Amino acid sequence: MTALSDVTVEIDPGEFVALIGRSGCGKSTFLNLAGAMDLPTHGEVHIGGVSTARMGDAELTAVRREQVGFIFQFFQLLPTLSAVENVELPLQLASQPRPRHRALELMELVGLNGLGDRLPYQLSGGQMQRVAVARALVHSPAVLLADEPIGNLDTETSSGILDLLQHINTDLGTTIVMATHSRDSAARAGRILRLSDGRLSPESPTRPV
């Protein structure tokens, strides 16, 4: 079974692009390829002008760690670490200086100032997703990939997360590619790509307009 076929898309720095389509249409595969988590069996994926197929393991690891941030539907926070510890962990693993200072900066950015000592179970779903957003931003990535980031949240909380993503895109200049089922959520983006059975729909603008 082919997850994606004949998909050619160009995404410019600073864009906010939404991927919309039913479950199983290829949205997650698109994000995994865009973030160098998977490599294509045919064709090429270019990040910063370099094909991921030509990168070695060390280069791919560096891209995933430094150039791309990931946000997932189910948060993927470590339950035994506090909120701020979850955010600073990638910096600690990379032996970066002053990880706590950077983590606290990002906790404030996502609206969680003062909640850093709480464990994930002590936070609401929206707060946990904000922690996940802060963690994704910890290396100041050029691209943020969000896979159904509001899939487990209520309408009001979802709106707050979408507001935050728009702020990150507009004010920080971070490129965002977001997969979603929701047309209302997709409308927050500057461009919408519609996937169906692994293919782009004919009306999807594959280049920035």
Side-chain angles (χ1 to χ4, degrees):
M1 180 177 178
T2 301
L4 291 174
S5 179
D6 297 326
V7 173
T8 300
V9 174
E10 180 180 327
I11 297 174
D12 277 351
E15 274 202 275
F16 188 166
V17 177
L19 296 174
I20 194 167
R22 297 179 179 179
S23 295
C25 72
K27 298 191 302 296
S28 293
T29 300
F30 185 106
L31 293 182
N32 287 339
L33 290 168
M37 297 294 286
D38 291 331
L39 298 178
T41 53
H42 297 285
E44 292 187 334
V45 174
H46 291 259
I47 299 177
V50 181
S51 171
T52 57
R54 297 189 176 93
M55 296 180 186
D57 289 342
E59 291 174 291
L60 289 169
T61 298
V63 166
R64 297 172 192 134
R65 185 178 61 216
E66 299 169 8
Q67 297 188 41
V68 182
F70 292 90
I71 305 171
F72 304 97
Q73 180 177 352
F74 297 104
F75 318 135
Q76 296 193 6
L77 302 179
L78 295 177
T80 58
L81 297 183
S82 69
V84 72
E85 288 170 340
N86 268 282
V87 176
E88 72 181 349
L89 182 61
L91 294 175
Q92 291 180 329
L93 294 175
S95 300
Q96 294 293 316
R98 303 182 71 194
R100 179 58 56 93
H101 179 75
R102 173 64 174 161
L104 290 173
E105 282 184 340
L106 289 170
M107 291 288 288
E108 184 174 358
L109 174 71
V110 301
L112 295 180
N113 196 24
L115 299 181
D117 291 336
R118 295 193 183 183
L119 293 169
Y121 80 89
Q122 297 173 311
L123 300 171
S124 68
Q127 288 170 335
M128 284 192 284
Q129 191 60 291
R130 286 174 182 269
V131 173
V133 171
R135 182 185 57 192
L137 290 172
V138 77
H139 284 293
S140 300
V143 180
L144 200 59
L145 303 176
D147 195 356
E148 300 287 354
I150 60 169
N152 287 327
L153 305 176
D154 60 48
T155 301
E156 183 177 355
T157 305
S158 296
S159 180
I161 294 297
L162 292 170
D163 288 344
L164 175 60
L165 292 178
Q166 284 188 305
H167 166 67
I168 291 167
N169 173 248
T170 302
D171 293 352
L172 302 185
T174 305
T175 305
I176 297 178
V177 184
M178 176 182 69
T180 180
H181 289 93
S182 167
R183 292 181 180 273
D184 289 339
S185 299
R188 298 287 199 106
R191 181 162 50 127
I192 298 174
L193 302 176
R194 292 177 174 83
L195 283 170
S196 178
D197 298 326
R199 295 176 180 270
L200 284 175
S201 65
E203 70 271 21
S204 292
T206 58
R207 291 177 177 270
V209 294

